Amino acid sequence: MIQEELFLSALIQKGLIKQADAANLLQEAKGLDRSVEEILYEKNLVDEKILAQIKGELFKLPIKEFSKDEVIPQSILNLIPEDTARHYGFIAFNKNDGVLDVGMVYPNNPKAQETLKFIISRLNLKIRVFIITPSDLRNILKQYQTFTEEFNKLLEDFQRRFTGVQKKKSPFKLIDLESTAGTVAEEAPIIRLFASILKYAVRSRASDIHIEPERNKLRVRFRVDGNLTTTLTLPLAVHSAITSRVKIMANLKIDETRLPQDGRFFSAIDEKEIDFRISTFPTALGEKIAIRILDPSVGLKSIHELGLEGKNLDILKKEILKPYGMILITGPTGSGKTTTLYAIMQVLNQDKVNIVSLEDPVEYTMEGMNQSQVLPEIGYTFARGLRHIVRQDPDIIMVGEIRDNETAELATHSALTGHLVLSTLHTNNAIGVIPRLIDLGIDPFLLPSSLNLIIAQRLARRLCPDCKKRVLASEKEQKIIEETLMSLPKEEREKLPYQKPYYVYKSKGCATCNDKGYLGRVGIFEILKMTPELEQLILSQPSQEKLSAEAKRQGMITLQQDGIIKALEGEVGIEEVLSITKRN
């Protein structure tokens, strides 16, 4: 967007970044096909107000700062459509004497300039451009018509058109054989209603939508940052129409309500191609619909964005460069294992290597990789796929999950025969992987030669940067922090700047995070690597205690230690860390 070299040169001259940082930023921006400025904002490497000042100097444009309670009249705000404002990063905030004041985050984006000129020409107005920050843009975007208002209008439209259907109160009633319920999905109100639900879910960063029939209403819940919350309730009358609409879009059987069905469809929202995975499930009150939202801009992350830092990051970078062996990522369902796999794949995905993956399902397609989705219902399992992958001349093999003895054995032998194998496993921590593999039937003597690295992880909600506050930790928290820091390896403990009394961060909620106090999630990790000492343990029937002792000898940073460090840094709340690492 901004000429990269010019912008980075200004940052270097002001001492905000180093020359080496600039080179890394350029390389990362090229790899992700994004601008340097976007990455700077995303990683918060330089304060956004300082970046705005630098852009103002470069382009000789004034800067507009909005107060938190500043309200823009809807008549002015709506001169620029919400979708356009959100995609191109500009909003209208004032109009006077035929001149429209517009705030832009990326004033040098050619597409944004062209779109803005088109809008202004249609309005027959002159324009005055100001620089604004991404935070101010996000806050102003919330002033557009709310989802609740939009939903109410759509619902009123639906009720006007289908007044006979709306009187239905409960599924437990006689069925009218002449009823056409379930065939109204093509009607505009339902189409717009369902589109609004999808649009709002994507903009809320939801990972899943649950549409659930109850006795007297239809409940819609979104899962955001791992937590399910009720977003809205609908009249039960719309259930059959919405279900039919979903099935039509996902190419499912409309008249099949007794059996679960799975499908998918793609749709463009805010200029992003979103993959929606559909699952219907029959319940006593009607069909429940679960929709998984796969948004590449949210789900695909770089290694640096995962939350890997310091020693853990250094170990991973070294191990993934090895030509063969196995790297296993472990953790419970929903702990971000697949996201970590994709992040590693982005590093390894180069023209000189052949990467083949087996996934269930393929969540994100990546250019340069050969991705295959297993279909157990027709006999195409992970094990069967692995047997055939070796005939595809692979350098790197990614297996979505090791679930059984056959898959475990084939993955292990692939690692032994010159391939780098990446996969996931379900265990509570890193040291639990070794007994789990032995339990799956892998001969212990094969593990030292095949297993390179074990990564255990959890996901913690990231504190909102706009409303988090530094507070003194409670007496109980002080004790836990002290014990955790003292248990760290000496060399790691000496790197940390924290001393008694310890401070943590808490957030109360604000407009940025919709009063939740959290914005996104970050990984908490522990990494165990193969060593000669660990090899000897494996060959002598290791106990949990001996494996724990070896992990400590290696200086492994545990899940709880990594979480406490992130809590002291203000990334996550300490209560969240203690909860997900199960400390009593």
Side-chain angles (χ1 to χ4, degrees):
M1 293 176 183
I2 293 177
Q3 292 180 1
E4 313 285 43
E5 292 81 4
L6 180 66
F7 186 52
L8 289 171
S9 177
L11 293 177
I12 294 169
Q13 288 176 10
K14 292 182 179 292
L16 297 171
I17 62 171
K18 298 178 181 178
Q19 188 75 45
D21 297 329
N24 290 335
L25 284 167
L26 278 172
Q27 184 177 1
E28 186 172 352
K30 184 179 179 182
L32 297 175
D33 193 24
R34 301 172 69 186
S35 73
V36 165
E37 189 182 2
E38 285 178 303
I39 295 172
L40 283 168
Y41 281 132
E42 190 174 274
K43 294 188 174 182
N44 199 25
L45 296 177
V46 181
D47 185 85
E48 61 179 20
K49 291 185 178 180
I50 296 176
L51 290 177
Q53 291 171 359
I54 292 174
K55 284 189 287 184
E57 294 171 4
L58 285 173
F59 299 114
K60 306 208 178 330
L61 292 173
I63 297 169
K64 169 63 179 175
E65 293 187 20
F66 294 89
S67 62
K68 287 191 174 181
D69 57 353
E70 189 167 347
V71 177
I72 299 172
Q74 288 288 321
S75 60
I76 294 175
L77 192 65
N78 288 324
L79 291 174
I80 295 175
E82 181 185 0
D83 287 351
T84 303
R86 192 178 296 275
H87 179 67
Y88 292 108
F90 58 71
I91 46 94
F93 63 89
N94 187 42
K95 187 175 74 168
N96 191 25
D97 295 331
V99 177
L100 184 67
D101 291 339
V102 175
M104 301 185 73
V105 176
Y106 307 109
N108 204 41
N109 180 351
K111 292 184 178 179
Q113 292 174 350
E114 184 179 339
T115 303
L116 185 57
K117 285 178 183 177
F118 175 74
I119 292 172
I120 295 302
S121 66
R122 293 185 63 182
L123 295 173
N124 196 26
L125 294 170
K126 294 181 180 179
I127 186 176
R128 184 165 50 188
V129 174
F130 292 75
I131 303 287
I132 61 173
T133 64
S135 293
D136 279 344
L137 174 69
R138 287 195 296 270
N139 289 334
I140 297 300
L141 286 173
K142 292 173 184 176
Q143 294 186 28
Y144 277 94
Q145 183 184 50
T146 66
F147 175 64
T148 303
E149 292 169 344
E150 181 181 3
F151 155 70
N152 286 336
K153 288 183 178 179
L154 291 170
L155 191 57
E156 288 172 8
D157 190 4
F158 176 85
Q159 289 174 335
R160 280 196 304 270
R161 289 173 180 250
F162 308 108
T163 54
V165 179
Q166 71 182 26
K167 294 177 183 177
K168 180 180 175 185
K169 296 293 184 182
S170 168
F172 301 110
K173 61 180 292 184
L174 293 175
I175 297 172
D176 180 1
L177 296 178
E178 303 298 323
S179 171
T180 58
T183 63
V184 297
E186 295 81 10
E187 296 290 344
I190 282 296
I191 292 174
R192 293 203 304 271
L193 177 62
F194 184 60
S196 295
I197 291 173
L198 295 182
K199 187 191 303 183
Y200 186 63
V202 170
R203 291 175 180 172
S204 299
R205 300 177 299 103
S207 60
D208 300 88
I209 304 171
H210 293 255
I211 302 174
E212 304 161 313
E214 298 183 343
R215 285 185 177 272
N216 298 307
K217 64 180 183 295
L218 187 66
R219 179 172 65 164
V220 179
R221 293 192 291 171
F222 291 173
R223 188 181 295 279
V224 180
D225 296 336
N227 288 346
L228 268 176
T229 54
T230 299
T231 305
L232 69 151
T233 56
L234 301 168
L236 199 58
V238 305
H239 178 224
S240 60
I242 285 184
T243 302
S244 295
R245 176 62 183 161
V246 173
K247 288 182 175 180
I248 287 171
M249 295 180 75
N251 198 27
L252 303 178
K253 296 177 181 178
I254 296 176
D255 59 346
E256 178 55 80
T257 60
R258 302 165 301 168
L259 295 173
Q261 296 187 72
D262 294 315
R264 68 191 294 187
F265 64 86
F266 294 86
S267 183
I269 295 179
D270 296 336
E271 304 297 325
K272 297 183 294 184
E273 188 177 277
I274 310 295
D275 184 1
F276 295 96
R277 305 289 172 91
I278 309 299
S279 173
T280 67
F281 185 76
T283 72
L285 298 171
E287 285 185 283
K288 177 188 184 299
I289 299 170
I291 304 174
R292 169 62 58 89
I293 302 172
L294 298 175
D295 181 350
S297 67
V298 175
L300 285 177
K301 298 182 182 296
S302 68
I303 283 182
H304 298 280
E305 294 172 302
L306 296 175
L308 281 161
E309 300 169 350
K311 181 179 179 179
N312 284 343
L313 182 59
D314 293 339
I315 293 173
L316 179 63
K317 283 182 174 179
K318 181 180 179 181
E319 292 297 323
I320 62 177
L321 295 178
K322 290 184 176 180
Y324 58 87
M326 189 158 54
I327 297 175
L328 293 180
I329 304 170
T330 186
T333 301
S335 59
K337 300 186 296 296
T338 303
T339 301
T340 301
L341 277 180
Y342 277 107
I344 295 173
M345 286 296 102
Q346 288 185 77
V347 177
L348 298 175
N349 189 11
Q350 300 177 24
D351 192 52
K352 62 183 180 180
V353 294
N354 177 26
I355 303 177
V356 185
S357 77
L358 287 171
E359 304 175 51
D360 184 20
V362 175
E363 294 196 7
Y364 302 101
T365 55
M366 294 178 62
E367 292 292 329
M369 277 180 58
N370 303 287
Q371 296 170 269
S372 181
Q373 178 167 325
V374 299
L375 296 167
E377 60 269 23
I378 61 171
Y380 183 35
T381 61
F382 282 121
R384 186 171 183 178
L386 268 171
R387 287 195 209 95
H388 290 274
I389 274 182
V390 293
R391 301 172 193 167
Q392 291 291 318
D393 184 33
D395 298 293
I396 300 168
I397 299 171
M398 183 180 110
V399 182
E401 184 182 346
I402 293 176
R403 298 174 179 171
D404 52 45
N405 164 263
E406 193 176 6
T407 307
E409 286 186 347
L410 288 167
T412 302
H413 285 288
S414 295
L416 288 169
T417 54
H419 306 94
L420 183 62
V421 179
L422 296 99
S423 189
T424 69
L425 199 65
H426 284 279
T427 65
N428 290 328
N429 50 33
I431 61 174
V433 167
I434 292 167
R436 175 61 179 149
L437 287 173
I438 294 173
D439 184 55
L440 283 171
I442 304 301
D443 292 324
F445 70 86
L446 294 176
L447 289 177
S449 303
S450 59
L451 187 59
N452 293 354
L453 195 69
I454 303 166
I455 304 170
Q457 68 178 80
R458 300 288 189 277
L459 286 179
R461 291 175 295 175
R462 195 189 295 268
L463 293 172
C464 173
D466 287 357
C467 63
K468 68 180 180 183
K469 301 293 182 185
R470 187 169 178 259
V471 298
L472 185 66
S474 68
E475 186 176 339
K476 180 181 178 182
E477 291 168 347
Q478 294 277 348
K479 183 180 178 182
I480 293 171
I481 293 169
E482 175 74 10
E483 290 175 356
T484 303
L485 294 184
M486 290 306 296
S487 65
L488 279 168
K490 183 179 178 182
E491 63 274 15
E492 295 300 318
R493 187 169 66 247
E494 291 175 347
K495 294 177 185 177
L496 299 174
Y498 309 110
Q499 295 180 342
K500 281 187 173 181
Y502 299 109
Y503 286 82
V504 293
Y505 291 77
K506 298 185 186 294
S507 54
K508 61 181 180 179
C510 64
T512 302
C513 59
N514 290 324
D515 294 318
K516 289 183 172 26
Y518 302 96
L519 201 61
R521 291 190 288 179
V522 64
I524 293 175
F525 299 89
E526 65 181 26
I527 295 183
L528 181 69
K529 61 181 181 178
M530 186 58 64
T531 61
E533 293 82 1
L534 182 56
E535 178 179 346
Q536 291 303 314
L537 274 179
I538 293 172
L539 296 176
S540 61
Q541 295 184 339
S543 66
Q544 197 84 355
E545 292 75 21
K546 289 180 179 179
L547 290 172
S548 296
E550 165 57 18
K552 187 173 183 179
R553 189 205 64 78
Q554 281 190 24
M556 182 185 82
I557 298 172
T558 67
L559 288 168
Q560 188 181 61
Q561 290 169 342
D562 190 39
I564 292 293
I565 292 170
K566 286 183 168 70
L568 291 169
E569 292 172 347
E571 287 192 72
V572 299
I574 190 167
E575 302 93 341
E576 180 94 347
V577 172
L578 298 179
S579 172
I580 64 178
T581 56
K582 294 181 172 60
R583 166 148 186 167
N584 298 320

